Amino acid sequence: MKEYYFKADRPTTLSAGSSNLKYRNPKYLSMLNHLRFYLPEVYPKLDKILFLDDDIVVQKDLTGLWDVDLNGKVNGAVETCGESFHRFDKYLNFSNPHIARNFDPNACGWAYGMNIFDLREWKKKDITGIYHKWQNMNEDRVLWKLGTLPPGLLTFYKLTHPLDKSWHVLGLGYNPSIDRSEIDNAAVVHYNGNMKPWLELAMTKYRPYWTKYIKYDHPYIRGCNLSE
């Protein structure tokens, strides 16, 4: 994995150099990001698990997710293809025959950050093995470039059940145009993007959804130099 992320040719152009810098971003380099593909091994006694990213805020009771029928699928997730740029062809290299032969370029993307996983079906379908297969094929970054979402899209292809969008509202870390009512009605809001609520570059109007839960007198929080 380290070889995969650090392997980059000497840049010959400014754009190539900029692209190579992305591979050094801790967001992509953390091996812990890939633990999501090993959940049955991390929690071998569980049949079902709710996966939450660390840049989300839970606003409502999530118990109802436990009762969602995934219809034999492995992954319950909110789809993100309301706009064309969240379809498979924007994440994967369809000029590669392995991708073109096995996937639909117009298939809908979905979000990591709040997912319900059926670990019994996961084991039956050997999800971790599927992940390993695609990672091994992508050794030279010819199938996709960055992150855990592209291998997730491949691994859970036709194994993802779409959840109602009110469970998980995305974009608070980059999109200034999210409808206020969508945020207020969401069970989970997600600060995906670079403008995290604990950073100075956070969007001011979204920050209170996070700060209202912060205990500023907690010793760990005091050590983070957060301003109230």
Side-chain angles (χ1 to χ4, degrees):
M1 291 296 295
K2 290 178 181 175
E3 168 74 7
Y4 167 78
Y5 281 110
F6 279 104
K7 183 178 180 182
D9 296 331
R10 185 182 299 275
T12 54
T13 66
L14 189 62
S15 61
S18 173
S19 175
N20 285 348
L21 280 175
K22 294 178 184 177
Y23 299 104
R24 275 71 175 176
N25 187 330
K27 174 180 175 180
Y28 301 113
L29 291 176
S30 173
M31 298 297 110
L32 290 176
N33 267 344
H34 294 265
L35 274 179
R36 66 191 69 199
F37 294 105
Y38 298 90
L39 291 175
E41 295 176 41
V42 179
Y43 300 103
K45 295 182 180 179
L46 298 185
D47 292 331
K48 191 183 290 187
I49 195 167
L50 176 64
F51 173 89
L52 297 170
D53 267 354
D54 57 5
D55 55 354
I56 61 97
V57 172
V58 177
Q59 302 190 128
K60 296 184 179 179
D61 185 2
L62 302 182
T63 307
L65 281 171
W66 223 246
D67 299 322
V68 173
D69 184 357
L70 298 182
N71 298 307
K73 304 292 178 65
V74 180
N75 173 28
V78 167
E79 292 184 329
T80 56
C81 59
E83 298 113 7
S84 61
F85 60 83
H86 283 137
R87 295 186 183 275
F88 272 42
D89 62 344
K90 300 303 178 184
Y91 297 102
L92 305 168
N93 177 16
F94 275 87
S95 67
N96 184 283
H98 294 296
I99 297 295
R101 194 164 50 240
N102 290 287
F103 302 97
D104 177 0
N106 291 313
C108 191
W110 46 266
Y112 266 128
M114 194 218 67
N115 307 76
I116 187 84
F117 290 113
D118 184 329
L119 299 184
R120 286 171 299 185
E121 290 296 327
W122 182 306
K123 293 170 191 172
K124 284 182 194 174
K125 294 176 168 63
D126 188 22
I127 292 299
T128 304
I130 296 171
Y131 162 74
H132 284 157
K133 180 188 86 167
W134 288 109
Q135 278 286 15
N136 289 336
M137 291 173 66
N138 196 42
E139 185 177 353
D140 295 319
R141 297 200 305 271
V142 294
L143 306 185
W144 71 88
K145 295 293 184 186
L146 295 169
T148 53
L149 180 57
L153 296 176
L154 300 182
T155 300
F156 294 102
Y157 185 58
K158 295 187 176 179
L159 296 173
T160 298
H161 175 78
L163 299 175
D164 187 278
K165 292 187 183 299
S166 64
W167 282 113
H168 184 191
V169 168
L170 297 113
L172 279 73
Y174 73 89
N175 182 1
S177 306
I178 306 170
D179 189 277
R180 174 74 179 264
S181 64
E182 282 188 34
I183 299 174
D184 291 338
N185 292 327
V188 166
V189 293
H190 194 169
Y191 291 86
N192 56 310
N194 292 325
M195 300 179 185
K196 304 299 185 191
W198 53 85
L199 299 177
E200 290 184 3
L201 49 74
M203 281 183 268
T204 307
K205 63 180 178 178
Y206 297 150
R207 204 164 181 263
Y209 291 99
W210 182 79
T211 55
K212 67 181 177 181
Y213 295 107
I214 302 303
K215 296 178 181 177
Y216 285 96
D217 59 347
H218 192 286
Y220 289 154
I221 298 298
R222 286 204 304 269
C224 292
N225 296 318
L226 294 174
S227 57
E228 294 189 49

